[in-house]
Amino acid sequence: MKQILPLLALGLLAGCTSILETGDSIERGLNPPSAFNYATTKPEGGFSTQLNDNRIGNKVELLAARKSKTDGGYTRVQFDLRNGSSLRQAINVSFEWLAADGTVTESQPNLIATPLEPGALTTVTATALKVQSAECRLRLISR
Amino acid sequence: MHKLSLLACAVFIVGCGTPATYKDPTGRELVVSLDKVNIQDFATAGSQMLESMISSPSFSKGAPVLQLGAITNDTADNFDTALLLSKLTVPLVNAGRVTLLDNDATANAARAESGSKANVPRAEYVLKGKILEDRSNAGSTRQGSFIFQLTLVEVKRGVAVWTDEKIVTKQGTKNAVGF
């Protein structure tokens, strides 16, 4: 019986998520969870960025933001992203649309996984559904 | 000692497992299953197809009248295909980009009853599609791909004016949490 109890205790330690959560907390303390980074198009052209997570900000470069109108008069934007690191990056993107007065008119309800190989360049595109949507905010978070 | 070992077993059984918590359905911490289509897979495929569809010339102006056709689920997983269609129709209808015809038997009968001269909307386009799957494995690593195919047919001419395919592929040895 003395042999069984340590075995049970070992099983308890190995099988319980509470132990994993403790480890996760320690890990998160050293390596904080990912945060969203934003890039928003500007009426005068170009874009502004809000960097909340420097770890991804130093790896994935936002090269350009292009804004145009569709035949129906809806705004379309394209963001060029490049993985400037030597490791594969897994990022998630989504879009929010803003009216000229800054109010949010549309928001994409999900993140789209966008894997990027080292050095790879990708273009993410979004088209507004509403005419009043004038500017686009790209939300970007690492895996 | 026998009681003690029973108690230890009970602690082992009760103490394990993760308590259920609410998660953001649009977030990154959702269960990823290898053998079924997850809720985020519908969202991903749906939003990408929506972006593609609204870029087609058929949606450049006005609010075309759209009717939903059949979406065939050709996978081993049993789910309602409305999970995919709603990702397209909800944003389109709420933004006023389409006039969506109600598709139930009563609505169809009402339209038939009203006759051709009545001022009721007629379907200009029908959206139809198929969801397929492909599975493969190498050793203990399993891979599941779900293929979402949609086609927009112009009723007047009976031709496809837009079609797209999105593939969601997942790989691993077991189901997991997170993207």
Side-chain angles (χ1 to χ4, degrees):
Chain A
M1 189 56 75
K2 279 183 181 175
Q3 286 174 332
I4 293 171
L5 281 174
L7 195 65
L8 282 170
L10 192 67
L12 183 71
L13 289 173
C16 287
T17 51
S18 58
I19 301 301
L20 291 175
E21 280 179 3
T22 307
D24 190 43
S25 302
I26 294 166
E27 188 189 350
R28 278 172 185 260
L30 297 170
N31 194 15
S34 308
F36 271 104
N37 293 319
Y38 297 93
T40 311
T41 59
K42 295 197 283 190
E44 64 271 23
F47 60 89
S48 62
T49 56
Q50 183 189 326
L51 209 58
N52 299 312
D53 187 350
N54 281 312
R55 287 170 299 163
I56 190 75
N58 293 334
K59 293 167 190 163
V60 177
E61 305 158 9
L62 180 59
L63 300 180
R66 289 181 294 278
K67 194 165 60 171
S68 60
K69 292 277 185 185
T70 66
D71 292 343
Y74 302 98
T75 308
R76 175 181 291 152
V77 294
Q78 287 189 327
F79 292 95
D80 289 343
L81 300 167
R82 180 177 176 273
N83 179 4
S85 75
S86 54
L87 292 172
R88 188 173 188 266
Q89 300 295 328
I91 56 166
N92 301 291
V93 298
S94 72
F95 302 94
E96 275 181 332
W97 288 93
L98 310 169
D101 63 1
T103 53
V104 177
T105 52
E106 305 171 39
S107 51
Q108 194 178 355
N110 63 292
L111 292 163
I112 296 175
T114 311
L116 274 173
E117 298 298 332
L121 185 80
T122 191
T123 301
V124 290
T125 307
T127 308
L129 286 169
K130 296 178 179 174
V131 176
Q132 60 266 37
S133 300
E135 305 300 330
C136 183
R137 183 157 61 202
L138 171 73
R139 300 163 74 228
L140 193 149
I141 192 166
S142 65
R143 181 178 174 178
Chain B
M1 191 57 86
H2 183 66
K3 284 179 184 174
L4 192 63
S5 61
L6 278 176
L7 189 69
C9 285
V11 168
F12 178 69
I13 291 164
V14 172
C16 292
T18 309
T21 54
Y22 285 102
K23 291 291 175 188
D24 177 6
T26 66
R28 299 178 299 155
E29 297 177 333
L30 303 174
V31 169
V32 179
S33 307
L34 288 163
D35 51 358
K36 69 181 291 249
V37 189
N38 295 117
I39 194 80
Q40 65 270 30
D41 300 333
F42 290 112
T44 299
S47 64
Q48 289 180 333
M49 288 185 140
L50 175 66
E51 168 62 30
S52 168
M53 195 165 80
I54 59 169
S55 301
S56 73
S58 308
F59 283 83
S60 62
K61 286 177 184 173
V65 182
L66 180 70
Q67 187 160 22
L68 300 179
I71 306 288
T72 309
N73 174 13
D74 211 2
T75 72
D77 188 17
N78 183 29
F79 55 80
D80 193 330
T81 55
L83 286 165
L84 174 69
L85 285 174
S86 65
K87 299 294 179 291
L88 288 93
T89 56
V90 169
L92 285 172
V93 170
N94 289 343
R97 293 291 296 271
V98 295
T99 304
L100 186 65
L101 286 185
D102 202 350
N103 217 15
D104 68 1
T106 312
N108 286 332
R111 278 194 291 275
E113 184 69 23
S114 63
S116 58
K117 290 178 183 174
N119 188 23
V120 293
R122 302 281 166 187
E124 294 174 77
Y125 298 96
V126 171
L127 187 64
K128 63 177 188 173
K130 202 170 195 180
I131 305 171
L132 312 157
E133 73 176 326
D134 177 78
R135 291 173 195 269
S136 52
N137 61 294
S140 62
T141 303
R142 292 184 290 152
Q143 180 176 293
S145 290
F146 297 94
I147 302 112
F148 300 85
Q149 298 174 334
L150 285 179
T151 302
L152 188 70
V153 178
E154 187 182 331
V155 175
K156 199 172 179 181
R157 295 188 293 150
V159 294
V161 290
W162 169 85
T163 186
D164 199 4
E165 178 181 272
K166 294 293 171 202
I167 303 173
V168 175
T169 298
K170 298 179 275 191
Q171 191 184 82
T173 54
K174 60 179 182 179
N175 297 341
V177 176
F179 278 175

